[in-house]
Amino acid sequence: MVLEFKQAEKRVHDSVLFPPFDLVLSAASVTAIQSSVNVREDLLGLLCGQGSLSHGELKWGEHTRSGFCFLEPGLYERLSVTEMLRFTRQLHSSSEPIASAMRQLHLEPIQHAKIKRLSYSEKKRVQLACLVLQNPSVFILEEPDQNIDLESRRIYLRLLQQLKEEKKTVLILTGNLESAVTAADHVYKLDDSGLHPVQLEQDVPDTATLLDSEETVTPVRFEKIPTKVNDKIVLFNPPEIDYIESSEGQTFLHIKGESFPCVFTLTDLENRLMPFGFFRCHRSYLVNLQKVREVITWTRNSYSLVLDDPTKTPIPLSKSKMTELKEMLGLKS
Amino acid sequence: MTISWKRIHAIFMKDYKDFSRNLAVSLIIFLPPVLAAFYSRTGNGGSIETYYMVINMAFGMVAAFVQSCLIAEEKEKNTLRGLMLSPASTTEILIGKSSLSLVLTLLTIALSALFSNYRPANIGLIVLALFVSAIFYIALGTMVGLFAKTVMEASLYVTPIILLFSFGTMLPLLAEQYPALQATAYLPNIQLLEIGTKVERGGSFTDILPQLAVILAWGVVASFAAVSLYKKRLID
């Protein structure tokens, strides 16, 4: 046990921010908590030692040292990258070598650049390098991959893998489910109804039987998918749909950046939309393969699909589904 | 509690690099020496009052202004939180953050004295008095920095302080006309002027002790206020 939330509960002005929950973080694990901004800021304040819980407690393991990577970069803009890292190292009396931290985050090409000249993604990497130099046992990251470029995201995900191998604990606080699912092994959703685990690995035999039944039964299908918008029922053509996301038992169709709740479960939709080239890339995602532009391999076990839309929406792709996808694409793995 | 000089040194070096590249703030340290040279060359200088007006201006512009900007910038750029969460203690952070302003202040004053041809009769006593005064102005600058949210705000708040303590050196001249101003005799800048006058007349350490005690009292009060304000900022 490195960090434990024990019946932690927070109320603000008679309204519940989050009801009591228990959560234990152990070594060598990456945990993500997906929540609203209010909850995230409150949790961070709590972890920094500012603010307090309404009830319950936060227990740190012995010899646990925490390190933070906030959303705001918080770097000295007039220093160069090397000077910033050297300062962090001295301030934290750390013995970690600067060169290895720089290599891990690919900062060597920009090591002599002033921080104010760097792009946002590069600043984020400098910030992560500072955190690596502090060598804490718990890494607490606030929205680590928000607004960063693909290259930085790949570096960040590789860093997480490495931290796990070094038996570190990582806690990611984010509002983005996709980011949480791609990075972490354990994903939770925290809101005013409590802490809910988000299932990551789907049970493979279950879907296999579904596929079998799909081949034998050929029911009559509606072509359109109904969604409910303010008591109206809107019908969508399957090729219009970008992807479908399931969140807390409710499915949402994503069409041109907008989302519409749908009454069917993801499994129902999967069965209906299979012939239209939809693919269950993750336990809680069904994607229209026609809209997929790229398949990105972050590390050996984490993948994302990138859609061909203006925002280049990334969709998580689970490891076991990767093989299936390769088969569908006619690639031999 | 042990103080790690390595951390203080790290903060000092970081501030030094940061400051030397920040022309908006660093240029001001040249103002008092330039003013001193100007006064002495135009023939207005030469009296102990003008020497001390420039010195007090250096305190306001360098110790208070630079210190408040350094602290306010840490707040503005969200780097103060990083310092507070680091293993460095409050004492280490505050000493580290004050050391650059202290060095700069003493350097500027030395330059100003050189340019205005001020040669104190007893350098040791004057340096002691200047050092004690510097503590007060730096603590004042720290308070302004913690109070302000941005560098812009800090430099605005610090302006009346510069005015009061530099041109305020002339306040006792007005005290004859407005008796209410007599209380200003206890201001640290005027006490410093008194020390300067006494030393010029050949005063010894015991002669300047009351003035030194008053300045030290100002410094201690300001330091306590600065530390408690910092602790308050630590919580929210």
Side-chain angles (χ1 to χ4, degrees):
Chain A
M1 190 273 284
V2 180
L3 174 60
E4 185 181 1
F5 292 90
K6 240 180 167 175
Q7 288 295 305
E9 179 185 5
K10 180 82 183 186
R11 289 160 188 280
V12 179
H13 307 306
D14 291 339
S15 71
V16 180
L17 204 53
F18 50 83
F21 73 92
D22 290 301
L23 179 64
V24 179
L25 302 185
S26 51
S29 69
V30 180
T31 310
I33 298 180
Q34 194 249 335
S35 65
S36 66
V37 179
N38 299 12
V39 172
R40 188 186 80 212
E41 282 181 347
D42 217 81
L43 275 180
L44 260 179
L46 214 63
L47 291 163
C48 290
Q50 305 160 347
S52 59
L53 284 165
S54 311
H55 196 74
E57 60 177 329
L58 182 68
K59 271 171 74 181
W60 295 90
E62 270 178 63
H63 310 299
T64 302
R65 282 192 307 120
S66 55
F68 295 85
C69 175
F70 295 105
L71 179 59
E72 297 279 345
L75 301 167
Y76 294 99
E77 304 214 309
R78 289 183 205 93
L79 299 188
S80 73
V81 173
T82 325
E83 286 165 347
M84 180 71 216
L85 294 185
R86 199 174 300 140
F87 169 64
T88 311
R89 188 166 176 265
Q90 285 172 344
L91 187 66
H92 289 263
S93 317
S94 145
S95 53
E96 293 287 300
I98 289 180
S100 78
M102 242 191 245
R103 199 168 39 243
Q104 266 179 319
L105 289 138
H106 292 233
L107 294 174
E108 284 123 332
I110 49 168
Q111 57 178 313
H112 297 300
K114 300 265 183 303
I115 287 172
K116 63 178 166 194
R117 305 230 179 277
L118 302 184
S119 70
Y120 180 77
S121 305
E122 288 167 334
K123 281 184 197 168
K124 270 313 229 205
R125 265 149 59 194
V126 175
Q127 203 188 352
L128 283 171
C130 288
L131 189 59
V132 169
L133 278 178
Q134 292 171 25
N135 192 22
S137 38
V138 188
F139 288 71
I140 295 163
L141 315 175
E142 180 191 15
E143 297 284 9
D145 56 351
Q146 192 183 79
N147 287 344
I148 64 173
D149 57 29
L150 281 182
E151 178 58 17
S152 300
R153 191 157 192 232
R154 194 190 306 273
I155 293 167
Y156 152 71
L157 287 169
R158 208 172 292 153
L159 175 73
L160 285 184
Q161 191 93 2
Q162 219 159 0
L163 291 177
K164 214 161 59 178
E165 279 160 20
E166 288 168 20
K167 302 265 177 291
K168 301 285 188 192
T169 310
V170 182
L171 175 62
I172 299 167
L173 301 174
T174 177
N176 185 338
L177 188 62
E178 194 272 334
S179 147
V181 166
T182 318
D185 316 323
H186 311 284
V187 180
Y188 298 91
K189 231 181 146 92
L190 181 63
D191 55 20
D192 53 7
S193 68
L195 186 78
H196 306 286
V198 175
Q199 296 288 331
L200 282 186
E201 281 309 314
Q202 60 287 344
D203 19 356
V204 183
D206 188 38
T207 45
T209 51
L210 273 171
L211 288 174
D212 290 342
S213 61
E214 182 65 25
E215 283 163 12
T216 48
V217 187
T218 46
V220 183
R221 292 188 194 90
F222 293 109
E223 293 228 335
K224 301 228 177 188
I225 303 297
T227 61
K228 271 177 104 173
V229 181
N230 301 335
D231 298 329
K232 270 190 279 183
I233 292 179
V234 183
L235 300 178
F236 285 107
N237 264 334
E240 283 184 291
I241 302 168
D242 292 334
Y243 65 98
I244 302 165
E245 181 185 26
S246 154
S247 164
E248 292 177 345
Q250 173 71 56
T251 48
F252 293 93
L253 305 186
H254 287 263
I255 295 146
K256 292 203 173 82
E258 282 184 78
S259 74
F260 301 91
C262 175
V263 283
F264 297 110
T265 66
L266 209 56
T267 316
D268 288 341
L269 286 170
E270 184 187 4
N271 292 340
R272 289 179 62 165
L273 293 171
M274 204 65 157
F276 294 96
F278 278 67
F279 174 62
R280 183 78 173 264
C281 54
H282 189 272
R283 187 175 171 115
S284 29
Y285 287 91
L286 188 60
V287 70
N288 184 353
L289 280 180
Q290 301 295 330
K291 303 259 182 176
V292 174
R293 169 62 68 205
E294 267 183 87
V295 181
I296 298 183
T297 310
W298 300 116
T299 61
R300 258 186 305 124
N301 338 321
S302 74
Y303 309 95
S304 281
L305 297 172
V306 176
L307 295 190
D308 188 18
D309 59 353
T311 52
K312 301 243 177 300
T313 319
I315 313 278
L317 171 63
S318 56
K319 192 187 175 187
S320 52
K321 289 293 183 180
M322 181 64 181
T323 12
E324 214 175 293
L325 180 67
K326 276 188 175 167
E327 273 169 31
M328 281 178 76
L329 294 171
L331 293 171
K332 281 182 188 127
S333 46
Chain B
M1 186 176 65
T2 52
I3 290 178
S4 156
W5 290 105
K6 236 180 113 183
R7 283 194 202 118
I8 293 177
H9 179 73
I11 296 177
F12 175 78
M13 285 315 287
K14 186 269 298 169
D15 273 347
Y16 166 69
K17 283 178 196 149
D18 199 64
F19 178 79
S20 56
R21 291 167 196 168
N22 184 2
L23 288 182
V25 177
S26 57
L27 278 180
I28 202 161
I29 66 166
F30 296 108
L31 200 61
V34 168
L35 216 63
F38 181 75
Y39 269 132
S40 68
R41 302 302 183 273
T42 52
N44 290 326
S47 74
I48 196 94
E49 276 85 10
T50 43
Y51 295 150
Y52 276 88
M53 199 177 87
V54 172
I55 287 175
N56 282 326
M57 191 180 287
F59 275 129
M61 283 184 179
V62 183
F65 176 77
V66 169
Q67 177 73 2
S68 69
C69 286
L70 285 178
I71 301 270
E73 183 159 33
E74 294 266 0
K75 271 181 76 181
E76 189 182 341
K77 297 277 159 65
N78 280 308
T79 45
L80 194 59
R81 182 156 62 165
L83 278 184
M84 285 169 169
L85 287 171
S86 75
S89 66
T90 305
T91 331
E92 284 164 5
I93 294 172
L94 289 179
I95 293 181
K97 292 255 26 139
S98 309
S99 50
L100 180 72
S101 320
L102 183 68
V103 170
L104 286 175
T105 308
L106 296 181
L107 211 71
T108 316
I109 290 177
L111 267 180
S112 308
L114 192 73
F115 284 149
S116 57
N117 300 319
Y118 173 46
R119 304 286 179 275
N122 187 338
I123 286 215
L125 288 182
I126 294 296
V127 169
L128 180 70
L130 291 177
F131 184 79
V132 173
S133 305
I135 294 175
F136 164 72
Y137 288 99
I138 287 172
L140 197 65
T142 309
M143 272 198 285
V144 172
L146 287 171
F147 190 69
K149 286 184 193 69
T150 60
V151 177
M152 184 77 98
E153 247 178 71
S155 49
L156 209 67
Y157 291 152
V158 90
T159 318
I161 293 178
I162 295 178
L163 285 180
L164 173 67
F165 290 111
S166 56
F167 296 105
T169 317
M170 303 298 175
L171 279 177
L173 301 178
L174 293 177
E176 288 161 19
Q177 224 173 331
Y178 306 101
L181 284 174
Q182 256 154 15
T184 60
Y186 288 99
L187 284 176
N189 51 342
I190 290 157
Q191 295 289 316
L192 183 67
L193 174 67
E194 253 177 71
I195 291 180
T197 323
K198 279 190 175 175
V199 168
E200 251 359 78
R201 285 198 208 114
S204 66
F205 180 70
T206 40
D207 289 328
I208 63 161
L209 205 57
Q211 278 77 29
L212 210 57
V214 172
I215 300 177
L216 192 66
W218 277 98
V220 169
V221 169
S223 304
F224 266 110
V227 170
S228 59
L229 194 61
Y230 176 85
K231 291 242 166 87
K232 226 177 106 193
R233 288 284 178 273
L234 207 60
I235 298 164
D236 53 44

